[in-house]
Short mmCIF file of all heavy atoms in Angstrom, two decimals:
data_model
loop_
_atom_site.label_atom_id
_atom_site.label_comp_id
_atom_site.label_asym_id
_atom_site.label_seq_id
_atom_site.Cartn_x
_atom_site.Cartn_y
_atom_site.Cartn_z
N LEU M 39 31.55 21.83 1.74
CA LEU M 39 32.19 21.42 3.00
C LEU M 39 32.88 22.67 3.66
O LEU M 39 32.87 22.81 4.88
CB LEU M 39 33.24 20.35 2.71
CG LEU M 39 32.66 18.95 2.43
CD1 LEU M 39 33.69 17.97 2.05
CD2 LEU M 39 31.88 18.47 3.69
N ASP M 40 33.45 23.52 2.82
CA ASP M 40 34.19 24.67 3.37
C ASP M 40 33.25 25.72 3.99
O ASP M 40 33.50 26.22 5.07
CB ASP M 40 34.97 25.38 2.22
CG ASP M 40 36.15 24.53 1.74
OD1 ASP M 40 36.46 23.55 2.45
OD2 ASP M 40 36.69 24.84 0.68
N GLN M 41 32.22 26.04 3.25
CA GLN M 41 31.39 27.21 3.63
C GLN M 41 30.08 26.80 4.29
O GLN M 41 29.36 27.68 4.78
CB GLN M 41 31.05 28.01 2.40
CG GLN M 41 32.28 28.56 1.68
CD GLN M 41 33.04 29.57 2.51
OE1 GLN M 41 32.41 30.31 3.26
NE2 GLN M 41 34.36 29.54 2.44
N GLY M 42 29.74 25.56 4.33
CA GLY M 42 28.41 25.15 4.85
C GLY M 42 27.30 25.58 3.92
O GLY M 42 27.50 25.68 2.70
N LEU M 43 26.14 25.88 4.50
CA LEU M 43 25.01 26.28 3.69
C LEU M 43 25.01 27.82 3.61
O LEU M 43 24.81 28.53 4.62
CB LEU M 43 23.73 25.84 4.41
CG LEU M 43 23.20 24.46 3.97
CD1 LEU M 43 22.25 23.90 5.03
CD2 LEU M 43 22.51 24.52 2.61
N GLN M 44 25.15 28.34 2.39
CA GLN M 44 25.25 29.72 2.15
C GLN M 44 24.13 30.22 1.26
O GLN M 44 23.87 29.64 0.25
CB GLN M 44 26.60 30.09 1.50
CG GLN M 44 27.81 29.78 2.34
CD GLN M 44 27.99 30.83 3.44
OE1 GLN M 44 27.93 32.01 3.23
NE2 GLN M 44 28.28 30.36 4.66
N PHE M 45 23.51 31.29 1.68
CA PHE M 45 22.43 31.91 0.91
C PHE M 45 23.04 32.63 -0.31
O PHE M 45 24.02 33.40 -0.18
CB PHE M 45 21.67 32.88 1.77
CG PHE M 45 20.73 33.78 1.02
CD1 PHE M 45 19.57 33.32 0.46
CD2 PHE M 45 21.04 35.16 0.88
CE1 PHE M 45 18.71 34.17 -0.19
CE2 PHE M 45 20.19 36.00 0.21
CZ PHE M 45 19.03 35.51 -0.36
N LEU M 46 22.46 32.41 -1.48
CA LEU M 46 22.95 33.08 -2.67
C LEU M 46 22.06 34.23 -3.10
O LEU M 46 22.49 35.36 -3.21
CB LEU M 46 23.04 32.07 -3.83
CG LEU M 46 24.04 30.93 -3.66
CD1 LEU M 46 24.01 29.98 -4.86
CD2 LEU M 46 25.44 31.46 -3.46
N ILE M 47 20.77 33.95 -3.29
CA ILE M 47 19.87 34.99 -3.83
C ILE M 47 18.40 34.59 -3.62
O ILE M 47 18.10 33.39 -3.51
CB ILE M 47 20.18 35.23 -5.34
CG1 ILE M 47 19.60 36.53 -5.82
CG2 ILE M 47 19.70 34.02 -6.17
CD1 ILE M 47 20.20 36.98 -7.16
N GLN M 48 17.54 35.58 -3.55
CA GLN M 48 16.11 35.38 -3.40
C GLN M 48 15.38 36.15 -4.45
O GLN M 48 15.69 37.29 -4.77
CB GLN M 48 15.67 35.82 -2.02
CG GLN M 48 14.14 35.69 -1.81
CD GLN M 48 13.60 36.52 -0.64
OE1 GLN M 48 14.36 37.23 0.06
NE2 GLN M 48 12.32 36.48 -0.44
N TYR M 49 14.31 35.52 -4.98
CA TYR M 49 13.40 36.18 -5.88
C TYR M 49 12.01 36.07 -5.31
O TYR M 49 11.63 35.07 -4.65
CB TYR M 49 13.41 35.54 -7.28
CG TYR M 49 14.52 36.02 -8.11
CD1 TYR M 49 15.81 35.47 -7.97
CD2 TYR M 49 14.38 37.07 -9.01
CE1 TYR M 49 16.88 35.96 -8.69
CE2 TYR M 49 15.43 37.57 -9.76
CZ TYR M 49 16.70 36.98 -9.61
OH TYR M 49 17.76 37.48 -10.34
N TYR M 50 11.22 37.13 -5.54
CA TYR M 50 9.85 37.15 -5.08
C TYR M 50 9.00 37.59 -6.25
O TYR M 50 9.14 38.72 -6.76
CB TYR M 50 9.61 38.06 -3.89
CG TYR M 50 8.20 38.13 -3.41
CD1 TYR M 50 7.72 37.14 -2.52
CD2 TYR M 50 7.35 39.11 -3.84
CE1 TYR M 50 6.42 37.17 -2.11
CE2 TYR M 50 6.02 39.13 -3.44
CZ TYR M 50 5.56 38.16 -2.57
OH TYR M 50 4.27 38.17 -2.16
N ASN M 51 8.14 36.73 -6.71
CA ASN M 51 7.22 37.02 -7.84
C ASN M 51 7.90 37.67 -8.99
O ASN M 51 7.45 38.66 -9.58
CB ASN M 51 6.12 37.93 -7.32
CG ASN M 51 4.83 37.81 -8.17
OD1 ASN M 51 4.63 36.86 -8.90
ND2 ASN M 51 3.97 38.84 -8.03
N GLY M 52 9.03 37.14 -9.36
CA GLY M 52 9.77 37.60 -10.53
C GLY M 52 10.81 38.66 -10.33
O GLY M 52 11.59 38.96 -11.25
#
Side-chain angles (χ1 to χ4, degrees):
Chain M
L39 285 174
D40 291 346
Q41 301 294 325
L43 271 160
Q44 296 284 314
F45 167 73
L46 295 178
I47 197 163
Q48 177 197 0
Y49 279 82
Y50 179 84
N51 203 20

